[in-house]
């Protein structure tokens, strides 16, 4: 692994990546909470916006199980970009600059080109996952479409659709793992250093490779927290999304020199 990363260094001039303790993600959450409390209005504004958008999307997909599940899992794919405004708030606070909602939007405009390219990449991955989800439903799910209120119980927990559940989790998990590895610190790095997308993505992959334990814990915490947001019909997302977003900024600052 070290040899391959050294080769990448010569081609992309990657910044040095630190190794952290497995429990370090808990500290990121604590620092993220402090940032959110210090910028409550701006942070919760992003939480409200994305909670409303998420609720509308889920309501639209209620009668389409493949789209409903793809929307929930797809949120984890686009989440790193969705939280860009929260990274900007933490970045400005760290520098002693104004960190209001309006000022964070202005900050996003300054990095518009890089964020647009990265957004195109994530949109491609999201569309690909939506198509894969539809294909998996067509191949492995042949029952009568259940009511969405009982969908997860009847399909994922009943034991009657083992092949579908396994294939869905394996394919979706592999795609989510790839996007996580390439995204975990990419967007904060694009905003902080005006880096190019390839360098940011390779640095992110390197950070994951050097900190497998901590990154596994961080991924699990993100899934649990965002999952709680969905379980509360997006109400909890108002607080949980800003918390994860601010914590992600501190993860980047901790991992990348």
């Amino acid at each position: 692994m070290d040899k391959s990363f050294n080769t990448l260094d010569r081609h992309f001039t990657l910044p040095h990546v630190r190794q952290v303790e497995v429990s370090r993600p808990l500290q990121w959450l604590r620092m993220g909470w402090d940032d959110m409390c210090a910028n409550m209005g701006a942070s919760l504004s992003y939480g409200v916006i994305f909670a409303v958008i998420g609720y509308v999307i889920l309501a639209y997909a209620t009668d389409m199980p493949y789209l409903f599940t793809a929307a929930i899992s797809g949120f984890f794919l686009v989440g790193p970009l969705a939280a860009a405004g929260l990274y900007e708030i933490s970045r400005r606070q760290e520098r002693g600059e104004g960190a209001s909602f309006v000022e964070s939007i202005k900050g996003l405009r300054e990095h518009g080109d890089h964020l647009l390219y990265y957004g195109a990449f994530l949109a491609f991955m999201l569309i690909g996952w939506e198509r894969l989800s539809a294909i998996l439903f067509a191949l492995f799910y042949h029952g009568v479409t259940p009511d969405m209120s009982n969908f997860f119980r009847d399909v994922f927990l009943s034991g009657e659709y083992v092949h579908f559940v396994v294939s869905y989790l394996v394919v979706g998990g592999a795609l989510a793992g790839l996007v996580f590895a390439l995204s975990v610190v990419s967007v904060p790095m694009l905003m902080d250093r005006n880096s190019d997308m390839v360098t940011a993505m390779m640095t992110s992959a390197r950070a994951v490779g050097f900190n497998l334990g901590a990154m596994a814990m961080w991924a699990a915490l993100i899934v649990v927290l965002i999952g709680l947001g969905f379980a509360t019909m997006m109400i909890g997302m108002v607080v949980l999304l800003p918390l994860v977003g601010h914590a992600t900024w501190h993860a980047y600052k901790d991992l990348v020199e």
Side-chain angles (χ1 to χ4, degrees), residues 19 37-38 56 61 68 75 94 98 100 107 113 120 136 156 158 180 193 219 224 227 244 255-256:
Q19 289 184 300
C37 292
V56 170
F68 188 88
F75 186 88
E94 187 177 88
S100 68
D113 290 344
L136 290 173
F156 284 86
S158 67
F180 176 80
R193 307 185 183 212
V224 169
V244 172
L255 291 168
V256 184

Side-chain angles (χ1 to χ4, degrees), residues 135-156:
I135 292 171
L136 290 173
F137 265 86
L139 289 176
F140 296 106
Y141 182 77
H142 304 292
V144 177
T145 303
D147 183 83
M148 284 307 304
S149 61
N150 300 319
F151 177 76
F152 288 97
R153 184 196 68 191
D154 294 345
V155 175
F156 284 86

Side-chain angles (χ1 to χ4, degrees), residues 48-246:
V48 170
I49 290 171
F50 287 107
V52 170
I53 292 173
Y55 183 83
V56 170
I57 292 174
L58 293 181
Y60 171 78
T62 296
D63 297 326
M64 296 172 280
Y66 87 89
L67 188 58
F68 188 88
T69 54
I72 292 178
S73 52
F75 186 88
F76 292 96
L77 302 183
V78 301
L81 186 63
L86 297 161
Y87 310 151
E88 179 65 9
I89 291 172
S90 289
R91 186 184 75 87
R92 285 174 170 264
Q93 176 174 303
E94 187 177 88
R95 298 186 177 190
E97 302 173 359
S100 68
F101 178 79
V102 173
E103 287 164 334
S104 70
I105 294 295
K106 292 178 180 178
L108 292 180
R109 292 175 60 185
E110 296 175 2
H111 306 91
D113 290 344
H114 294 302
L115 295 179
L116 179 63
Y117 294 141
Y118 203 83
F121 163 72
L122 291 181
F124 175 79
M125 300 298 286
L126 180 60
I127 292 171
W129 170 234
E130 186 275 334
R131 288 293 82 201
L132 282 173
S133 179
I135 292 171
L136 290 173
F137 265 86
L139 289 176
F140 296 106
Y141 182 77
H142 304 292
V144 177
T145 303
D147 183 83
M148 284 307 304
S149 61
N150 300 319
F151 177 76
F152 288 97
R153 184 196 68 191
D154 294 345
V155 175
F156 284 86
L157 302 179
S158 67
E160 297 180 12
Y161 302 98
V162 175
H163 291 89
F164 167 73
V165 172
V166 171
S167 61
Y168 196 89
L169 293 178
V170 168
V171 175
L175 184 62
L178 173 63
V179 173
F180 176 80
L182 297 177
S183 304
V184 65
V185 299
S186 294
V187 179
M189 182 173 170
L190 289 173
M191 299 175 64
D192 188 42
R193 307 185 183 212
N194 203 29
S195 177
D196 64 271
M197 190 176 78
V198 174
T199 300
M201 292 171 70
M202 298 310 297
T203 301
S204 182
R206 189 182 194 193
V208 172
F210 279 177
N211 296 277
L212 290 177
M215 290 295 96
M217 183 176 183
W218 182 225
L221 287 171
I222 291 174
V223 170
V224 169
L225 291 173
I226 299 303
L228 287 174
F230 282 112
T232 56
M233 298 299 293
M234 305 303 289
I235 295 175
M237 201 73 77
V238 174
V239 173
L240 295 173
L241 178 64
L243 173 62
V244 172
H246 289 305

